[in-house]
Amino acid sequence: MSSKKRFLKLAGMTASIAGKAAKNSIKSFAGSEEDKLTARSEMLQTVGLQIADTLGEMKGAVMKVGQIASQYKDVFPPEVSKALEKLQKDAPPMPFAVIKQQLEKELGQPIETLFAQFEQSPFAAASIGQVHKAVLPTGEAVVVKVQYPDVDTSIDSDLKHVRLALKITGVLNMDKTLQDKIFAEIRDSLYDELDYSKEAHNLAIFGSFHSDDDGLIIPKVFHSHSTKRILTLSQELGEKLEVAATWDNDTKQKIATRLFDFSAGQLFKLYRLHCDPHPGNFAFRPDGSVIAYDFGGIKSYSHDEVALFKRFAIHCLSGDVTALEQDLVSIGIKKDNDGPLPTDFYKDWLQIGLTPYGFTQLFDLSKHAPYDFATSQTHFQAIAKAKESLKYWQSFQPAPLTMMLDRTISGQYWNLVNLKVTVDLSELIHRYIDLPTLPRPDASPRP
């Protein structure tokens, strides 16, 4: 799609959404608070579907923005996030002629010289590129990730239109400074994902970091067949998540443990994090091995930031609500100018959040048992508690520091739910966080 057509389509979407927002404002002007909330929810559902449908017709950065937005449930309203989830599915592939031209332009040779075999039909297609199986002249089986032409030329324009559309509906309920930080985070992550030379560098770093675990497989880069827009990797194949979900629980426990170590190990030991735990970015083998793909979306943290995350985890597990609340201020989640909230508010959320890790009694680390993710109610409990806690929501805001981390934790939770595994993750926490013997805190609520 040409730049002009992209602009007109996105501008048309924005104008249509502006009309819906204006109509909603008039409709709810004289209504009750309940009527206003209902009207707003209906409007957001309609707008979310319109954004998803429009972005779904377009490849490139704008579709990737929609995919990212669907995962930031603390930034966007649930109606919008839910509608955008449809963008997580595989995108229609580009014609092979386009892919061939891009390959030869980037690598500077005919495709017949570059590869002994090259499958014209991709085995995966996404928003910014697609992946083909191939064989090098040396006989090595590889996969070739080919970026669609001119994807990187439309990022800023696409982001501007999406941000404007969301702003018009009032879903970005935060000050401009915070909006700027959040969209700068999204923009930076997009540019990183579009630079395959950075991904090649990330693959080397993460491959070295995870090299001691034979059950965690990271593809190797063939630099002779890679550029900023082409990435050729060793062919490491496995089964999809829905197949792994049919295996015995012992195998699924090995997979769950490796997924936990994959994310936690990176955060707490490497200070870098693979931030796109979409199930399509992993494959699985019957021996419990996990293959990890797509190292374009990486977030780096400082020593002080990781130390803050560790303190926050310890305060959550120990029930030190006063310290926990201050951690939330330091992270940027809780507004500093608001007073302390009731202890029970935090206890309720901690009960929901810690249960999937296997803890059966709040603030008592000795009480734990395997958790059945197949029957998990955590996401439903979180939705219900969010509705009950609306009166406190003005005290909180999305934090740019944790956007990628939230995306990772949420994604891995859903991977375990879809894996249908029963596993006790509580003992794994000790591998990364030095938990002392914790006294049971005074649980009396604040006045």
Side-chain angles (χ1 to χ4, degrees):
M1 185 178 293
S2 68
S3 298
K4 183 177 180 180
K5 286 184 177 179
R6 295 178 74 85
F7 177 85
L8 291 174
K9 185 173 281 290
L10 289 169
M13 176 191 75
T14 304
S16 175
I17 288 172
K20 289 182 174 68
K23 185 178 179 180
N24 178 74
S25 298
I26 296 171
K27 182 179 177 181
S28 62
F29 181 74
S32 65
E33 285 300 317
E34 184 176 351
D35 290 340
K36 290 179 182 179
L37 289 173
T38 300
R40 175 175 169 76
S41 180
E42 292 174 351
M43 185 266 292
L44 289 176
Q45 289 178 30
T46 302
V47 165
L49 288 171
Q50 182 175 1
I51 293 174
D53 288 342
T54 303
L55 304 194
E57 296 174 11
M58 309 168 70
K59 289 191 180 293
V62 72
M63 186 177 176
K64 189 69 179 179
V65 171
Q67 292 175 342
I68 293 173
S70 73
Q71 297 173 332
Y72 289 143
K73 294 177 172 58
D74 57 342
V75 177
F76 302 103
E79 295 92 345
V80 175
S81 294
K82 181 69 176 175
L84 294 176
E85 283 179 2
K86 64 192 294 186
L87 296 175
Q88 293 294 336
K89 297 179 181 178
D90 286 347
M94 277 274 192
F96 179 68
V98 175
I99 297 302
K100 181 174 182 290
Q101 183 179 32
Q102 180 79 329
L103 264 171
E104 294 180 341
K105 175 185 174 184
E106 286 292 316
L107 296 176
Q109 297 182 60
I111 194 170
E112 295 81 8
T113 303
L114 292 163
F115 301 97
Q117 297 177 33
F118 195 97
E119 293 187 8
Q120 294 192 14
S121 298
F123 76 90
S127 55
I128 61 175
Q130 60 194 50
V131 186
H132 294 253
K133 293 180 183 178
V135 177
L136 295 178
T138 54
E140 290 147 310
V142 295
V143 294
V144 186
K145 187 174 175 180
V146 184
Q147 188 175 123
Y148 299 135
D150 302 322
V151 171
D152 51 357
T153 62
S154 59
I155 288 181
D156 292 325
S157 175
D158 287 354
L159 264 178
K160 181 180 178 181
H161 279 96
V162 173
R163 180 174 178 176
L164 180 58
L166 294 170
K167 183 179 180 180
I168 288 170
T169 61
V171 303
L172 296 177
N173 188 22
M174 62 192 79
D175 63 47
K176 185 178 182 300
T177 300
L178 186 55
Q179 281 187 42
D180 290 343
K181 288 181 179 179
I182 288 173
F183 274 87
E185 184 82 10
I186 294 175
R187 180 182 181 274
D188 290 346
S189 70
L190 275 169
Y191 273 109
D192 283 346
E193 289 193 46
L194 286 168
D195 188 346
Y196 290 174
S197 59
K198 285 187 177 181
E199 183 171 357
H201 180 66
N202 291 334
L203 280 157
I205 292 173
F206 283 85
S208 176
F209 178 73
H210 292 293
S211 61
D212 290 338
D213 187 348
D214 293 334
L216 186 56
I217 300 154
I218 295 174
K220 295 178 176 59
V221 178
F222 288 83
H223 293 281
S224 60
H225 288 64
S226 300
T227 69
K228 184 177 180 179
R229 297 179 179 87
I230 305 293
L231 187 61
T232 300
L233 305 170
S234 59
Q235 194 176 114
E236 311 289 354
L237 303 179
E239 301 292 347
K240 292 184 176 181
L241 184 61
E242 52 263 35
V243 175
T246 66
W247 296 339
D248 64 86
N249 196 64
D250 286 346
T251 300
K252 292 193 287 187
Q253 284 184 344
K254 292 178 183 177
I255 291 172
T257 298
R258 287 198 169 102
L259 288 175
F260 183 94
D261 285 336
F262 179 76
S263 294
Q266 292 169 11
L267 176 64
F268 292 116
K269 293 185 176 180
L270 187 62
Y271 296 1
R272 300 182 187 216
L273 189 63
H274 178 290
C275 297
D276 194 0
H278 183 277
N281 288 335
F282 296 99
F284 310 94
R285 293 177 179 170
D287 63 355
S289 296
V290 174
I291 306 159
Y293 307 120
D294 201 342
F295 284 77
I298 302 299
K299 174 69 176 177
S300 296
Y301 296 96
S302 70
H303 177 274
D304 289 344
E305 288 166 346
V306 173
L308 176 56
F309 295 152
K310 283 186 178 181
R311 289 201 305 272
F312 176 66
I314 290 172
H315 296 149
C316 287
L317 291 164
S318 67
D320 188 341
V321 169
T322 301
L324 180 158
E325 193 169 57
Q326 187 53 53
D327 292 336
L328 291 174
V329 173
S330 299
I331 291 170
I333 294 174
K334 188 175 185 298
K335 296 176 183 177
D336 196 13
N337 56 349
D338 289 344
L341 301 182
T343 298
D344 283 345
F345 168 80
Y346 291 109
K347 285 178 60 181
D348 290 345
W349 277 106
L350 288 171
Q351 184 71 66
I352 294 170
L354 294 178
T355 299
Y357 291 94
F359 296 108
T360 57
Q361 186 170 320
L362 198 60
F363 310 146
D364 187 345
L365 303 187
S366 67
K367 301 292 192 302
H368 54 89
Y371 181 79
D372 183 3
F373 279 90
T375 60
S376 177
Q377 297 295 303
T378 295
H379 43 290
F380 296 117
Q381 293 166 352
I383 292 171
K385 181 54 62 178
K387 291 179 180 177
E388 291 178 18
S389 306
L390 285 175
K391 62 182 177 181
Y392 298 121
W393 262 193
Q394 72 276 8
S395 297
F396 297 93
Q397 61 188 2
L401 178 61
T402 61
M403 282 178 63
M404 295 298 184
L405 181 57
D406 293 342
R407 178 185 179 190
T408 303
I409 293 172
S410 174
Q412 293 290 31
Y413 164 78
W414 281 108
N415 284 338
L416 298 188
V417 168
N418 292 320
L419 184 61
K420 298 182 174 66
V421 62
T422 299
V423 64
D424 184 355
L425 299 175
S426 63
E427 291 298 320
L428 303 181
I429 293 174
H430 294 271
R431 298 179 182 179
Y432 307 102
I433 300 175
D434 185 17
L435 294 173
T437 302
L438 300 170
R440 184 170 177 81
D442 177 9
S444 58
R446 289 180 177 137

